[in-house]
Amino acid sequence: MTTSAVNTDNSKPLSLADSKLKLTDVIKTLPSECFELDARKAWFSVISNVLAVVLGYFFLAIAPWYLLPLAWIYTGTAATGFFVIGHDCAHRSFAKSRWVNDIVGHLFMMPLIYPFHGWRIKHNYHHAHTNKRLVDNAWQPVGTDVYENSGVALRWAFKRFLHNRLWWIGSIVHWAMHHFNWNQYRKQDQADVKLSVAVVALFAAVCFPTLIATTGIWGFIKFWFIPWMVYHFWMSTFTYIHHTAPDIAFVPASEWDALTAQLSGTVHCNYPKWVEFLCHDINVHVPHHISTAIPSYNLRMAYKSLQENWGSYLYPECTFSVSLLKYITDRCHLYTPENEYISFKDYYAQQ
């Protein structure tokens, strides 16, 4: 089922609450081909993505001022593909060799100033605790209790961010707060995190001054900063839409069930074909939550299998649009103890 906005027809997936099924039962129904790593497909995604980014920078270099917005949107979207390649590497679904995954992951996340190991560790934690209230570290709704117990400044910040539709900076906040401080990680992981921070710091120390020296401050903004902002728009948007809808629950750890969270609590959203191509089908997100071992080029195969075997348990599909974003951002402001979203308008009407 596809809707223009998330679940506007009030259809819901069948409940798994009383089921004895486990996540492994779903995984066993997927074709074995879904898990096969294909070096040819993996390296084709690398080559095609590099060429797409090169084309974007060529476009930026020659475009007249009135075409720059198009060049920025294209280049930033192509750069998002770099992240998705690093994403596969973080899940060890790019190559069979760990060292290949680590090298490729660092190289492709480096221009985005994303520390590979820091993100890898945090992101895998998200997969282990998807939609678990106060535990999932990718996206957490702001609870009414948190909002009520916050100071004036923090309440103001929450309201500006949620009510003013600033979801698109969410990944920047997440990037800045969680991936550079190795003290947030276990001691056995801190050396890896420090290495990744050093890699992006070295890249920035060499490339940013060189870019400014050769093209000026405007060149830095034009060739790196604005495409980077477009990349974060997509990062924030993918994450937000994947896990946010008025009736997708974030439940306490005592009530949490992996199968319900991964199969029924993640949204499949269709984007323009050029976005899906440049971003390596990252929008085909449900099978990725069923098993992170599925490489990006097999996500559609896995999703088709899930539709055939578990379709009644899947959340209804949606299509990316302004109306979709308006629908979500008008409703999903605060989260109640009853595991429901409430808008600021309704929240204050109850006070």
Side-chain angles (χ1 to χ4, degrees):
M1 179 183 298
T2 302
T3 57
S4 60
V6 170
N7 215 13
T8 52
D9 60 357
N10 293 318
S11 60
K12 292 184 179 181
L14 293 181
S15 174
L16 290 158
D18 300 322
S19 171
K20 294 183 180 180
L21 292 168
K22 297 184 180 297
L23 188 59
T24 53
D25 295 319
V26 176
I27 294 174
K28 289 175 183 177
T29 67
L30 294 173
S32 59
E33 293 84 358
C34 292
F35 303 94
E36 291 180 0
L37 301 187
D38 187 322
R40 182 182 60 82
K41 291 180 180 178
W43 288 106
F44 173 79
S45 68
V46 166
I47 295 169
S48 63
N49 206 159
V50 170
L51 291 175
V53 170
V54 170
L55 178 62
Y57 277 102
F58 176 74
F59 189 14
L60 279 174
I62 66 170
W65 65 268
Y66 52 84
L67 290 180
L68 281 177
L70 291 177
W72 283 324
I73 291 170
Y74 170 81
T75 306
T77 306
T80 306
F82 275 17
F83 185 88
V84 180
I85 291 172
H87 173 269
D88 270 16
C89 291
H91 289 306
R92 312 307 188 191
S93 61
F94 177 83
K96 295 179 181 179
S97 299
R98 180 180 292 266
W99 68 269
V100 174
N101 285 309
D102 285 351
I103 291 175
V104 174
H106 276 94
L107 288 175
F108 277 81
M109 285 190 165
M110 182 175 63
L112 305 170
I113 314 301
Y114 237 111
F116 173 74
H117 283 307
W119 182 85
R120 175 182 64 80
I121 294 164
K122 291 285 186 182
H123 184 66
N124 282 320
Y125 187 86
H126 155 65
H127 276 275
H129 303 281
T130 304
N131 294 7
K132 189 181 291 185
R133 188 80 173 95
L134 302 179
V135 179
D136 186 353
N137 62 356
W139 169 250
Q140 277 288 334
V142 178
T144 52
D145 55 339
V146 173
Y147 183 74
E148 291 163 359
N149 293 322
S150 299
V152 174
L154 192 54
R155 284 165 66 110
W156 178 90
F158 281 143
K159 195 168 184 180
R160 296 287 77 74
F161 179 82
L162 295 166
H163 193 262
N164 293 352
R165 301 191 176 110
L166 295 178
W167 86 92
W168 52 274
I169 66 170
S171 69
I172 297 177
V173 175
H174 194 270
W175 163 81
M177 290 180 61
H178 295 294
H179 299 99
F180 293 89
N181 183 1
W182 45 81
N183 292 320
Q184 294 182 10
Y185 297 79
R186 300 177 304 172
K187 286 188 176 180
Q188 59 263 43
D189 293 326
Q190 289 181 5
D192 284 343
V193 177
K194 289 178 181 179
L195 171 64
S196 295
V197 170
V199 168
V200 297
L202 180 62
F203 176 88
V206 173
C207 292
F208 289 174
T210 302
L211 184 60
I212 293 171
T214 54
T215 65
I217 295 296
W218 170 241
F220 173 78
I221 295 171
K222 174 182 176 180
F223 290 108
W224 186 82
F225 181 73
I226 297 181
W228 184 77
M229 290 294 292
V230 172
Y231 148 71
H232 273 292
F233 167 84
W234 286 121
M235 278 292 296
S236 299
T237 300
F238 288 142
T239 303
Y240 188 51
I241 293 177
H242 284 159
H243 302 292
T244 310
D247 51 353
I248 285 185
F250 279 71
V251 298
S254 59
E255 303 172 17
W256 186 81
D257 170 67
L259 177 56
T260 300
Q262 312 294 20
L263 184 63
S264 304
T266 301
V267 178
H268 175 97
C269 183
N270 297 302
Y271 290 78
K273 293 300 182 183
W274 67 274
V275 174
E276 295 180 351
F277 173 75
L278 290 174
C279 298
H280 307 292
D281 290 333
I282 192 63
N283 59 297
V284 187
H285 206 59
V286 181
H288 177 60
H289 269 270
I290 296 301
S291 175
T292 59
I294 302 172
S296 56
Y297 45 80
N298 287 337
L299 288 173
R300 291 194 179 276
M301 180 198 307
Y303 185 58
K304 182 179 179 181
S305 174
L306 291 174
Q307 288 177 304
E308 292 171 351
N309 296 305
W310 304 92
S312 56
Y313 297 99
L314 298 177
Y315 197 86
E317 290 183 11
C318 62
T319 299
F320 176 72
S321 65
V322 173
S323 63
L324 168 66
L325 290 170
K326 186 176 186 301
Y327 179 80
I328 298 174
T329 55
D330 281 349
R331 290 162 176 78
C332 301
H333 292 160
L334 299 175
Y335 205 70
T336 70
E338 293 75 33
N339 298 333
E340 296 176 345
Y341 280 103
I342 187 172
S343 69
F344 278 113
K345 179 181 178 181
D346 291 340
Y347 171 79
Y348 282 108
Q350 296 174 6
Q351 301 304 300

